[in-house]
Amino acid sequence: MVSQSLKQAFVGIVGAENVMDAEADKHSYSYDAAVLDPVLPALVVRPSEMDQVGRIVKLCNDNGLPLTVRGAGSNLSGGTIPSKGGIVLLSNALNKILEVNEEDMYAVVQTGAITAKFAAAVAAKGLFYPPDPGSQAVSTLGGNVAENAGGLRGLKYGVTKDYVMGVNFFDVEGNYCKSGSKTVKCVTGLNIPQLMVGSEGTLAVMSEFILKLVPPPQAAKSMMAIFPDIMTASRTVSAIIAAKVVPCTLEFMDNFTIGAVEGFAKVGLPTDAGSLLLIEVDGHPAQVAEEAEKVEAICKANGCTRIQVAKDAVERNKVWEARRAALSSLARLRPTTVLEDATVPRSKIPAMMQALDKIAKEYKLTIGTFGHAGDGNLHPTILCDRRDKEEFHRVEKGVDAIFEAALGLDGTLSGEHGIGLAKSRWMEKETNRASVLFSKRIKAAVDPKNVLNPGKILGE
Amino acid sequence: MADLNHMLKLLNELDDQIVGCMRCGMCQSVCPVFAETGREADVARGKIALLEFLSHEMIKDAEAVKERLDKCLLCGSCAAACPSGVKALDIFIKARAIITAYLGLSPVKKAIFRGMITKPALFNNLLALGSKFQGFFTTPVNDIIGSSCSKLLSPLLGDRHLLSLADKPLRGNGTIDTAPGLSGLRVAFFYGCVVDKMFTSVGEAVLKVLRHHGVGIYMPVDQVCCGVPSLASGDLKSYEDLVRMNLKVFGKGDFDYILTPCGTCTSAFHHIWPLMNSGFSQSERETIAMLADKAMDINAFIADKLGVSKAEPAAGAKTVTIHDPCHLKKSLGVSGQVRTVLGANPNLKQVEMAGSDVCCGCGGSFNLQHYSVSTKIGKKKRDSIVATGADVVAAGCPACMMQIADMMSQAGDRIAVKHPVELYAQTLG
Ligand SMILES: Cc1cc2nc3c(=O)[nH]c(=O)nc-3n(C[C@H](O)[C@H](O)[C@H](O)COP(=O)(O)OP(=O)(O)OC[C@H]3O[C@@H](n4cnc5c(N)ncnc54)[C@H](O)[C@@H]3O)c2cc1C
Ligand code: SF4
Ligand code: SF4
């Protein structure tokens, strides 16, 4: 609960129409895309000017009110669930693209700008912003930076962190802080921009970013390679990289997912195939032609039973239609979709797939797996009905077993979806106690009252 | 209050449908209302979360839920884009019926639906009277669009620029009942309220096309509203009354197709009547299923059943741009056919607007309840139309035609608003 006078203080900052405290509104800010129980905030505020943000943060800190920033609420780890109540600050009205600099190839943009719209705006100026999470049509750049979001092009182009040159933010006392630079090289002081990347709203409220842009690739070629089993596909992934070809995209789908995609999107995949790789190479046309040939030969040499190289844009789109349909096709099979993010070193994908198979059998779960094979980032997707308590209990156990397996294979809890609430209790297992304490000391130093997104990443 | 068992059944169906929402938020990218307000309660995900709260904890604050549910165009963009296949539109229609049953219908809506629209004789007489006297209240503003505005009625109508009611409604032609001609086909013609009373030129164009192609016509004048406006307001009783009246008129099914020039009416026959049929008897349900099979949009009929040939644009051809109405494209999948139909007119060159299938913001009663949001959405559509430099904009839904006309007339644009069938009919001798 927030007192009437405190509510009036927020109204004084953003106006009555941008403060919501009706129960019916609070419900719609109690969840995100993670399958976790909802928690209602006390109040929701929607600033549209940057100076309002600083005043909101200060007000929260002065009153010890938890503050959770919400972009699109599309994160998959509970990052925007206001688990301690308090204030939800909506960033989606702070969405201006302030500068696109073609000469120096950077852009300055506000936190609430939508990823795909930003990418389109820079593309219109002949530049390229590569990070492309599957949620880019709705996700905000602030959410991307806070989660260090990845995407389909991660293998060659890296993820969000590789494009963050500067971050401006409000500290918990509401002071406006600048960090980073518009220069390609900058080693002034601590690397604060990179500290902000992946901090999930626990250290500061970010306001603007300086993002690196690159020249767009001149050409691209896509192909779909079908394999009898998971081992041959994984071997192929390693062989492609060993041959010094770095595709921009190297995606994977297991037999179950292939069946689901074919059942729904009907793109002509063989449902008896063990697994499938979707590969795209890009760059200079001559290099693309050469690399595409190389990749095709490697696939064939490693047991690929069929390969379909896209001849034109229509065929290329078909390849990506299959990939885009993966999650949708799985999600339609059962009411609840638990999308996980276990990531292992590339060479351990077969071992991880075996582990997933075992987990599915042991806990009697339906798991379809697809993901970014090129960087070992798999998305085992558990299909269930969360209304069935017994089944959901098995799902929770299965999820724990998935993390356990990934860590056992030198992997990580999260390749791109963040820790949030969902995985905080595993932090020590992946790193170690001293490391978690170190992070906690940083948090305590910059946010002594534990106001900023409390309980996320580091738990209680 | 409606039958409790019936409501419980709907509530259970709702629970099974909303559980499929994975809260991914992807519907944010297509919802026209969310694009204006940025509020989660205005997008499908937020509404579905509210309904979950409603069905699990029973109704704590049904008024608040209703208010948020009503802030929706029922455009179906969210359902068409949902990766998880959640039928948000179906959910919202059922939910409105449940909430209205719980809270009761507002007196104004009761007067409109129960006192007027379900009493066709009275409804038609009232509008006939309106058509006689409208000239006293309104001033013409745009000759190309045919719109006028009214200072006198502005407390009621706001700044809207309206199109006039027709001097003589389409039903003034009397019932038409002719045998199949050369085509061997016979169709029922369901004109819908707005075509009957305002866009009679669209209705006349349909008749001209059908006659030209030797199609037998059954156009009974005792047909009534398709029921969607009542249902959108949650008034299940009026909806069921109207559907029953129409079942009586069209129940014999002695025609090959039942055609409408209105995306919403076609989707009512095709999708909404079968969806909301639990209050009907077995034999009524069978008639509903028969009509669902036979229902077809006029553009689809012309393109797919009559077959038209493409004409090369003549010198001096005017440019036409096409708005894809939500119910036509997203519910029925009709968009290519509209282009085919217009392609038969040599005096037109087609030019695509950006986001041709983005909602125009009308949404029936949404336009009345939330005129300012409706206008913001509509202005974007107007901008996309103007940016094409077209002379004419074609839209296969009379409600969209009214909204687009209002937006363009207010902006002083000199672009005509036509139904594709009118433009096609121009090519016939
Ligand atoms: C269908 C689907 C596909 C997805 N695909 C991918 C994918 O391919 N790759 C990937 O990495 N992720 C993916 N995700 C996850 C999610 O989209 C990303 O985590 C995304 O970055 C979240 O952005 P958002 O704007 O929704 O942030 P939100 O969910 O609103 O917030 C995420 C976190 O960022 C914090 N935050 C947001 N803005 C600020 C700010 N200004 N200052 C401080 N903290 C802030 C929030 O407090 C929260 O902790 C997917 C999700 C879905 C539903
Ligand atoms: S797109 Fe579909 S599944 Fe995703 S939040 Fe919207 S309604 Fe739910
Ligand atoms: S039906 Fe249209 S207006 Fe309503 S929630 Fe869906 S997309 Fe938004």
Side-chain angles (χ1 to χ4, degrees):
Chain A
M1 276 294 283
V2 171
S3 70
Q4 248 345 47
S5 61
L6 202 49
K7 181 184 161 186
Q8 279 316 312
F10 285 109
V11 169
I13 300 172
V14 292
E17 66 283 8
N18 291 312
V19 175
M20 293 174 248
D21 69 343
E23 180 107 343
D25 287 318
K26 293 196 289 195
H27 265 274
S28 52
Y29 296 103
S30 65
Y31 55 78
D32 51 33
V35 187
L36 294 170
D37 290 337
V39 181
L40 262 54
L43 202 75
V44 181
V45 288
R46 186 168 185 251
S48 51
E49 303 294 335
M50 278 306 167
D51 68 305
Q52 297 172 343
V53 176
R55 290 163 65 197
I56 293 166
V57 184
K58 182 171 175 355
L59 198 56
C60 287
N61 192 46
D62 289 348
N63 291 279
L65 267 179
L67 170 75
T68 303
V69 184
R70 183 182 178 95
S74 75
N75 79 88
L76 290 150
S77 45
T80 41
I81 296 180
S83 53
K84 295 273 179 282
I87 304 300
V88 163
L89 185 156
L90 301 184
S91 73
N92 63 3
L94 306 162
N95 54 18
K96 292 193 191 74
I97 298 173
L98 303 170
E99 183 187 357
V100 178
N101 192 309
E102 291 156 76
E103 196 175 9
D104 293 326
M105 293 211 282
Y106 68 80
V108 184
V109 58
Q110 292 184 340
T111 177
I114 290 169
T115 316
K117 284 194 181 158
F118 171 70
V122 301
K125 296 211 165 180
L127 291 164
F128 182 37
Y129 178 70
D132 60 341
S135 51
Q136 61 174 332
V138 298
S139 73
T140 64
L141 289 168
N144 291 170
V145 174
E147 298 283 349
N148 192 6
L152 294 186
R153 305 187 185 110
L155 179 59
K156 178 169 175 179
Y157 290 100
V159 297
T160 304
K161 75 173 156 59
D162 300 303
Y163 296 85
V164 178
M165 297 162 69
V167 178
N168 297 341
F169 57 91
F170 291 92
D171 72 9
V172 78
E173 287 169 359
N175 303 307
Y176 184 64
C177 310
K178 290 178 157 195
S179 74
S181 155
K182 292 175 178 172
T183 58
V184 176
K185 293 163 81 178
C186 166
V187 293
T188 307
L190 296 183
N191 195 346
I192 302 291
Q194 291 301 325
L195 180 64
M196 290 296 156
V197 175
S199 64
E200 301 188 25
T202 60
L203 300 182
V205 175
M206 300 182 286
S207 54
E208 300 103 2
F209 308 106
I210 307 169
L211 296 176
K212 181 167 101 177
L213 305 173
V214 295
Q218 295 167 26
K221 207 161 191 105
S222 311
M223 58 203 96
M224 176 164 8
I226 288 150
F227 293 86
D229 53 51
I230 181 74
M231 298 305 286
T232 43
S234 310
R235 261 204 321 264
T236 308
V237 172
S238 302
I240 292 172
I241 311 281
K244 313 271 182 307
V245 177
V246 185
C248 66
T249 307
L250 185 35
E251 294 287 301
F252 156 89
M253 236 182 244
D254 72 354
N255 164 270
F256 186 81
T257 309
I258 296 172
V261 170
E262 209 30 47
F264 162 60
K266 311 225 171 352
V267 278
L269 308 180
T271 46
D272 56 346
S275 68
L276 185 152
L277 293 179
L278 299 166
I279 310 165
E280 182 162 298
V281 289
D282 71 355
H284 186 275
Q287 178 201 353
V288 167
E290 190 192 320
E291 288 191 342
E293 257 174 48
K294 238 186 191 170
V295 169
E296 199 177 338
I298 296 170
C299 287
K300 283 186 181 149
N302 281 277
C304 155
T305 50
R306 208 179 92 202
I307 186 159
Q308 201 179 315
V309 184
K311 281 186 224 49
D312 51 31
V314 178
E315 286 193 12
R316 182 171 169 227
N317 201 27
K318 219 160 170 208
V319 172
W320 296 117
E321 202 184 316
R323 171 60 180 86
R324 278 194 296 269
L327 178 59
S328 326
S329 312
L330 290 170
R332 283 162 201 255
L333 297 179
R334 295 288 309 277
T336 309
T337 312
V338 180
L339 178 64
E340 270 314 332
D341 185 29
T343 304
V344 292
R346 229 175 349 241
S347 61
K348 306 230 166 115
I349 292 180
M352 188 64 200
M353 289 303 295
Q354 275 168 355
L356 288 171
D357 199 37
K358 211 169 132 236
I359 293 166
K361 289 207 177 88
E362 188 171 344
Y363 297 99
K364 299 204 277 310
L365 298 174
T366 308
I367 309 183
T369 303
F370 61 96
H372 321 299
D375 37 42
N377 185 185
L378 299 178
H379 292 316
T381 305
I382 309 180
L383 308 177
C384 56
D385 186 340
R386 69 187 137 107
R387 292 172 299 183
D388 180 340
K389 298 267 176 311
E390 187 276 328
E391 184 185 27
F392 203 65
H393 185 63
R394 282 186 279 118
V395 172
E396 286 169 335
K397 292 222 138 75
V399 168
D400 281 353
I402 291 174
F403 296 152
E404 193 90 60
L407 292 183
L409 291 166
D410 295 331
T412 172
L413 294 170
S414 174
E416 54 180 23
H417 293 170
I419 300 297
L421 286 176
K423 306 181 196 175
S424 60
R425 68 200 166 84
W426 285 84
M427 283 292 290
E428 235 174 78
K429 267 221 156 143
E430 177 170 338
T431 55
N432 65 6
R433 170 157 297 191
S435 165
V436 171
L437 273 177
F438 186 80
S439 297
K440 282 189 170 168
R441 270 191 243 128
I442 295 178
K443 165 79 171 161
V446 299
D447 179 18
K449 292 190 191 166
N450 198 17
V451 160
L452 299 169
N453 216 1
K456 308 298 162 68
I457 309 180
L458 299 168
E460 293 306 310
Chain B
M1 176 144 169
D3 173 28
L4 204 63
N5 282 330
H6 191 175
M7 286 304 128
L8 274 177
K9 190 162 171 279
L10 281 181
L11 212 58
N12 278 337
E13 286 174 17
L14 213 59
D15 195 40
D16 283 339
Q17 288 188 302
I18 62 186
V19 68
C21 171
M22 56 177 177
R23 306 267 194 267
C24 66
M26 297 306 280
C27 40
Q28 288 175 7
S29 67
V30 292
C31 176
V33 181
F34 181 80
E36 297 307 329
T37 66
R39 289 182 178 224
E40 187 81 24
D42 292 339
V43 74
R45 176 171 69 163
K47 293 189 200 300
I48 289 172
L50 268 177
L51 289 171
E52 192 171 338
F53 147 63
L54 174 98
S55 66
H56 287 192
E57 295 188 29
M58 282 319 289
I59 302 171
K60 269 196 204 152
D61 189 358
E63 284 286 356
V65 175
K66 179 175 161 30
E67 194 183 300
R68 283 153 186 82
L69 266 183
D70 280 353
K71 204 163 164 201
C72 165
L73 292 153
L74 297 180
C75 68
S77 304
C78 47
C82 172
S84 195
V86 175
K87 297 197 164 75
L89 191 63
D90 299 7
I91 295 176
F92 300 153
I93 288 174
K94 284 183 191 161
R96 286 186 183 190
I98 295 169
I99 294 213
T100 307
Y102 183 82
L103 290 172
L105 199 62
S106 75
V108 176
K109 286 188 173 166
K110 216 177 223 164
I112 297 177
F113 294 123
R114 306 219 173 141
M116 218 167 92
I117 298 185
T118 46
K119 310 239 172 349
L122 177 70
F123 183 38
N124 292 330
N125 284 339
L126 274 176
L127 285 167
L129 213 63
S131 109
K132 281 207 181 66
F133 290 108
Q134 59 188 344
F136 295 113
F137 302 111
T138 55
T139 331
V141 280
N142 189 315
D143 56 326
I144 294 209
I145 295 171
S147 52
S148 23
C149 67
S150 165
K151 286 276 164 284
L152 213 65
L153 296 176
S154 65
L156 211 65
L157 303 172
D159 297 329
R160 286 178 180 79
H161 286 200
L162 297 171
L163 302 174
S164 318
L165 290 167
D167 295 339
K168 181 184 122 194
L170 193 68
R171 67 178 58 242
N173 286 311
T175 290
I176 301 174
D177 195 348
T178 61
L182 273 180
S183 70
L185 294 172
R186 180 174 136 94
V187 298
F189 178 21
F190 185 88
Y191 36 70
C193 307
V194 187
V195 165
D196 179 35
K197 295 171 174 64
M198 187 179 274
F199 294 112
T200 43
S201 57
V202 174
E204 298 293 353
V206 173
L207 293 173
K208 181 175 175 189
V209 169
L210 296 177
R211 286 179 181 132
H212 174 87
H213 286 277
V215 180
I217 303 169
Y218 172 53
M219 185 186 89
V221 294
D222 42 357
Q223 57 178 287
V224 295
C225 167
C226 69
V228 167
S230 309
L231 197 59
S233 293
D235 185 2
L236 206 55
K237 181 180 178 313
S238 299
Y239 159 78
E240 288 176 353
D241 286 353
L242 290 165
V243 173
R244 278 203 181 91
M245 288 183 224
N246 280 317
L247 292 183
K248 278 210 187 88
V249 180
F250 293 106
K252 268 212 303 204
D254 50 351
F255 40 79
D256 300 295
Y257 301 101
I258 178 160
L259 301 185
T260 93
C262 166
T264 306
C265 297
T266 312
S267 93
F269 283 108
H270 194 70
H271 181 72
I272 294 174
W273 288 11
L275 173 78
M276 299 298 285
N277 69 2
S278 50
F280 293 90
S281 70
Q282 181 58 29
S283 81
E284 285 170 333
R285 282 210 283 265
E286 280 163 17
T287 311
I288 287 175
M290 178 272 291
L291 291 173
D293 277 349
K294 292 191 174 186
M296 199 178 227
D297 168 66
I298 183 72
N299 296 289
F301 180 75
I302 296 173
D304 299 343
K305 300 296 166 191
L306 298 180
V308 292
S309 32
K310 190 169 165 29
E312 279 315 310
K318 295 197 159 167
T319 47
V320 61
T321 191
I322 298 151
H323 163 66
D324 286 305
C326 296
H327 294 155
L328 200 53
K329 181 166 180 197
K330 286 157 199 149
S331 295
L332 300 164
V334 175
S335 64
Q337 292 98 322
V338 179
R339 285 147 180 84
T340 306
V341 166
L342 290 173
N345 187 335
N347 295 318
L348 291 174
K349 273 198 305 258
Q350 291 179 30
V351 32
E352 290 290 335
M353 70 174 92
S356 66
D357 63 353
V358 172
C359 180
C360 68
C362 179
S365 63
F366 182 89
N367 176 278
L368 298 175
Q369 278 176 295
H370 302 285
Y371 187 58
S372 90
V373 182
S374 172
T375 310
K376 280 188 192 154
I377 300 171
K379 280 191 176 142
K380 283 190 184 155
K381 176 57 66 175
R382 176 260 164 197
D383 292 347
S384 310
I385 295 168
V386 170
T388 63
D391 304 300
V392 189
V393 51
C397 179
C400 304
M401 291 171 73
M402 281 164 72
Q403 166 85 343
I404 293 173
D406 182 13
M407 295 301 114
M408 299 213 304
S409 176
Q410 288 196 41
D413 301 321
R414 302 196 55 77
I415 301 175
V417 186
K418 296 283 178 197
H419 191 289
V421 75
E422 291 179 276
L423 299 169
Y424 174 66
Q426 285 174 359
T427 66
L428 310 174

